[in-house]
Amino acid sequence: MKHVFFDIDGTLWDRRSVIPQSTIDAIYKLRENGHKAYINTGRTRGYITAPQLLSLPFNGIIAGCGTHIEIDGEVIFENLIPENLATRAIDITSRYGFRSILEGPECLYM
Protein backbone atom coordinates (compact mmCIF):
# COMPACT_ATOMS: atom_id res chain seq x y z
CA MET A 1 0.00 0.00 0.00
CA LYS A 2 1.21 3.49 -0.87
CA HIS A 3 0.13 6.90 0.42
CA VAL A 4 -0.31 9.48 -2.35
CA PHE A 5 -0.63 13.21 -1.65
CA PHE A 6 -2.33 15.72 -3.96
CA ASP A 7 -2.10 19.50 -3.93
CA ILE A 8 -5.27 21.36 -4.91
CA ASP A 9 -4.36 24.30 -7.12
CA GLY A 10 -2.94 23.26 -10.46
CA THR A 11 -2.87 19.58 -9.49
CA LEU A 12 -6.39 18.46 -8.59
CA TRP A 13 -8.09 21.33 -10.34
CA ASP A 14 -7.30 24.04 -12.83
CA ARG A 15 -7.61 27.84 -12.62
CA ARG A 16 -11.39 27.58 -13.00
CA SER A 17 -11.70 25.05 -10.14
CA VAL A 18 -12.50 22.27 -12.59
CA ILE A 19 -11.28 18.77 -11.77
CA PRO A 20 -10.55 16.86 -14.98
CA GLN A 21 -12.35 13.54 -15.33
CA SER A 22 -8.97 11.86 -15.80
CA THR A 23 -7.95 13.06 -12.33
CA ILE A 24 -11.17 11.79 -10.79
CA ASP A 25 -10.74 8.42 -12.52
CA ALA A 26 -7.11 8.20 -11.36
CA ILE A 27 -8.05 8.80 -7.70
CA TYR A 28 -10.74 6.12 -7.83
CA LYS A 29 -8.33 3.68 -9.54
CA LEU A 30 -5.65 4.44 -6.96
CA ARG A 31 -8.10 3.58 -4.17
CA GLU A 32 -9.36 0.46 -6.00
CA ASN A 33 -5.75 -0.72 -6.12
CA GLY A 34 -5.52 -0.53 -2.32
CA HIS A 35 -3.62 2.74 -1.98
CA LYS A 36 -4.53 5.77 0.12
CA ALA A 37 -5.09 9.27 -1.23
CA TYR A 38 -4.82 12.56 0.64
CA ILE A 39 -5.32 16.23 -0.06
CA ASN A 40 -2.11 18.01 0.96
CA THR A 41 -2.27 21.79 0.70
CA GLY A 42 -1.07 25.07 2.11
CA ARG A 43 -4.70 26.17 2.32
CA THR A 44 -6.19 26.03 5.78
CA ARG A 45 -9.06 23.62 6.41
CA GLY A 46 -11.60 26.45 6.49
CA TYR A 47 -10.71 27.18 2.88
CA ILE A 48 -11.31 23.61 1.67
CA THR A 49 -15.06 23.46 1.19
CA ALA A 50 -15.75 22.71 -2.49
CA PRO A 51 -18.21 19.80 -2.77
CA GLN A 52 -16.63 18.58 -6.02
CA LEU A 53 -13.33 18.23 -4.16
CA LEU A 54 -14.64 16.81 -0.89
CA SER A 55 -16.82 14.25 -2.68
CA LEU A 56 -13.73 12.44 -3.98
CA PRO A 57 -12.64 9.36 -2.00
CA PHE A 58 -9.74 10.87 -0.10
CA ASN A 59 -8.57 9.17 3.08
CA GLY A 60 -7.65 12.46 4.67
CA ILE A 61 -6.64 16.08 4.43
CA ILE A 62 -3.38 17.73 5.41
CA ALA A 63 -4.06 21.46 5.45
CA GLY A 64 -2.41 24.69 6.48
CA CYS A 65 1.09 23.43 5.65
CA GLY A 66 0.69 20.57 8.12
CA THR A 67 -1.03 22.50 10.92
CA HIS A 68 -4.24 20.46 10.47
CA ILE A 69 -4.35 16.72 9.78
CA GLU A 70 -7.54 14.71 9.29
CA ILE A 71 -7.71 10.99 8.65
CA ASP A 72 -11.06 9.42 7.74
CA GLY A 73 -12.89 12.56 8.89
CA GLU A 74 -11.23 12.67 12.33
CA VAL A 75 -8.86 15.50 13.25
CA ILE A 76 -5.72 13.81 14.57
CA PHE A 77 -3.52 16.93 14.80
CA GLU A 78 -4.16 20.65 14.91
CA ASN A 79 -1.78 23.43 15.83
CA LEU A 80 -3.48 26.80 16.24
CA ILE A 81 -1.86 30.13 17.02
CA PRO A 82 -2.51 31.01 20.67
CA GLU A 83 -5.05 33.81 21.10
CA ASN A 84 -2.50 36.23 22.59
CA LEU A 85 -0.21 35.85 19.55
CA ALA A 86 -3.11 36.28 17.11
CA THR A 87 -4.16 39.45 18.94
CA ARG A 88 -0.58 40.73 18.90
CA ALA A 89 -0.25 40.06 15.16
CA ILE A 90 -3.48 41.95 14.46
CA ASP A 91 -2.36 44.88 16.63
CA ILE A 92 1.05 45.12 14.94
CA THR A 93 -0.21 44.83 11.38
CA SER A 94 -3.01 47.33 12.07
CA ARG A 95 -0.54 49.79 13.53
CA TYR A 96 1.27 49.84 10.18
CA GLY A 97 -1.89 50.11 8.09
CA PHE A 98 -2.15 46.49 6.99
CA ARG A 99 -5.31 44.42 7.11
CA SER A 100 -4.99 41.08 8.82
CA ILE A 101 -6.39 37.83 7.51
CA LEU A 102 -6.24 34.90 9.89
CA GLU A 103 -6.99 31.49 8.47
CA GLY A 104 -8.37 28.71 10.61
CA PRO A 105 -9.89 25.27 10.53
CA GLU A 106 -13.44 26.59 10.14
CA CYS A 107 -13.22 30.10 8.69
CA LEU A 108 -11.10 32.87 7.31
CA TYR A 109 -11.10 35.80 9.70
CA MET A 110 -10.80 39.26 8.15
Side-chain angles (χ1 to χ4, degrees), residues 44 81 85-87 89-90 99-104 107-110:
T44 56
I81 298 172
L85 290 180
T87 302
I90 292 168
R99 293 184 184 153
S100 299
I101 300 173
L102 301 177
E103 300 180 36
C107 303
L108 299 178
Y109 306 92
M110 301 172 107

Side-chain angles (χ1 to χ4, degrees), residues 9 13-19 43 52:
D9 299 303
W13 64 27
D14 62 20
R15 293 180 193 170
R16 294 167 284 143
S17 301
V18 173
I19 303 172
R43 294 174 179 224
Q52 72 269 30

